[in-house]
């Protein structure tokens, strides 16, 4: 009986800040043995390892310039040949444009792979403004809270460590969140169209509870 050879999954998660990409990526890593690859982590690891692509990236970054798509793709190619990603990857932060998406398709095709699914975590913009702009954390232990959804059991006292000092990120305000969402939609619209045209776009309602979103993602994988 011949052994069934499975092609490693290549998933792309699309979604604005606060949509839950990080949470869902961790679930996919744990549940399916996939590896999340972020562009920043890949660059730092390649530079530290001293690979040819890493050396090229280091020279560009030390000159204060942006790393080219060719270098990023070379680093991604090296990383995807590693044995720990045999079951598949979740790409985070790449591609960002339809040009990068086409280059990624060519890279994958060279090794008999393709994008399994580009998953768009769909959100309601105004609900996202409320979700993100109400966040605050304990200054001591980092426990997260929210003005509307999760207040400390005792007002002004952290549930976890008993601390009384809290902080908010400067960019977690309604105006900044609206600008981030506007920028995200402008940048991502071409990618949505690109992957929709190739029949691999999947849309998931990211305003529901985490378990429902996990189930929808699991069905795709």
């Amino acid at each position: 009986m011949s052994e069934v050879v499975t092609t490693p999954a290549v998933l792309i998660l699309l979604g604005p800040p606060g949509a839950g990409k990080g949470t869902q990526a961790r679930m996919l890593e744990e549940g399916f043995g996939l590896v999340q690859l972020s562009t920043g982590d890949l660059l730092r690891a390649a530079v530290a390892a001293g690979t040819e692509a890493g050396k090229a990236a280091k020279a560009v970054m030390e000159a204060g310039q942006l790393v080219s798509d060719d270098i990023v793709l070379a680093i991604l190619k090296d990383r995807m040949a590693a044995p720990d990603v045999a079951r598949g990857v979740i790409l985070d932060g790449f591609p960002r444009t339809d040009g990068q998406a086409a280059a990624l398709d060519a890279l994958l095709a060279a090794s008999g792979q393709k994008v399994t699914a580009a998953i768009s975590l769909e959100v309601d913009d105004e609900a996202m403004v409320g979700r993100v702009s109400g966040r605050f954390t304990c200054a001591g232990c980092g426990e997260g809270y929210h003005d509307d959804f999760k207040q400390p059991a005792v007002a002004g006292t952290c549930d976890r460590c008993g601390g009384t000092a809290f902080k908010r990120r400067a960019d977690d305000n309604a105006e900044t969140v609206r600008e981030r969402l506007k920028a995200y939609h402008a940048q991502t619209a071409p990618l949505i169209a690109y992957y929709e045209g190739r029949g691999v776009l999947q849309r998931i309602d990211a305003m529901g509870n985490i378990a429902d979103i996990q189930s929808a993602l699991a069905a795709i994988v």
Side-chain angles (χ1 to χ4, degrees), residues 27-104:
M27 183 277 296
L28 290 170
E29 285 186 304
E30 294 166 6
F32 295 93
L34 306 180
V35 177
Q36 183 180 12
L37 302 179
S38 77
T39 309
D41 289 344
L42 284 172
L43 286 170
R44 285 187 288 272
V47 169
T51 64
E52 288 304 312
K55 291 174 184 175
K58 183 179 180 181
V60 171
M61 290 189 288
E62 286 181 346
Q65 300 173 344
L66 292 174
V67 178
S68 70
D69 291 350
D70 287 344
I71 293 175
V72 172
L73 285 162
I75 290 173
L76 182 60
K77 180 181 179 181
D78 289 345
R79 183 67 182 88
M80 290 182 69
D84 66 321
V85 300
R87 300 190 71 172
V89 298
I90 308 157
L91 296 183
D92 178 10
F94 189 89
R96 290 185 182 275
T97 66
D98 52 359
Q100 290 177 346
L104 174 63

Side-chain angles (χ1 to χ4, degrees), residues 38-208:
S38 77
T39 309
D41 289 344
L42 284 172
L43 286 170
R44 285 187 288 272
V47 169
T51 64
E52 288 304 312
K55 291 174 184 175
K58 183 179 180 181
V60 171
M61 290 189 288
E62 286 181 346
Q65 300 173 344
L66 292 174
V67 178
S68 70
D69 291 350
D70 287 344
I71 293 175
V72 172
L73 285 162
I75 290 173
L76 182 60
K77 180 181 179 181
D78 289 345
R79 183 67 182 88
M80 290 182 69
D84 66 321
V85 300
R87 300 190 71 172
V89 298
I90 308 157
L91 296 183
D92 178 10
F94 189 89
R96 290 185 182 275
T97 66
D98 52 359
Q100 290 177 346
L104 174 63
D105 280 348
L107 171 68
L108 293 171
S111 58
Q113 293 177 265
K114 61 182 180 180
V115 171
T116 309
I119 303 167
S120 176
L121 300 178
E122 307 275 298
V123 301
D124 176 271
D125 281 8
E126 279 309 303
M128 283 296 297
V129 170
R131 180 189 287 184
V132 176
S133 62
R135 297 188 300 197
F136 63 98
T137 58
C138 171
C141 70
E143 179 71 8
Y145 296 96
H146 193 280
D147 291 333
D148 298 322
F149 310 130
K150 186 188 174 185
Q151 286 279 357
V154 177
T157 303
C158 176
D159 297 342
R160 180 190 286 180
C161 73
T164 56
F166 297 88
K167 61 182 181 181
R168 296 177 188 267
R169 283 177 42 172
D171 58 351
D172 277 355
N173 61 75
E175 184 178 349
T176 303
V177 175
R178 285 194 181 94
E179 285 302 312
R180 292 208 308 252
L181 285 165
K182 183 178 177 183
Y184 167 77
H185 290 308
Q187 292 165 2
T188 309
L191 272 183
I192 297 285
Y194 180 91
Y195 286 116
E196 196 161 37
R198 277 151 186 77
V200 295
L201 182 72
Q202 299 278 355
R203 299 176 186 268
I204 290 179
D205 178 6
M207 299 307 298

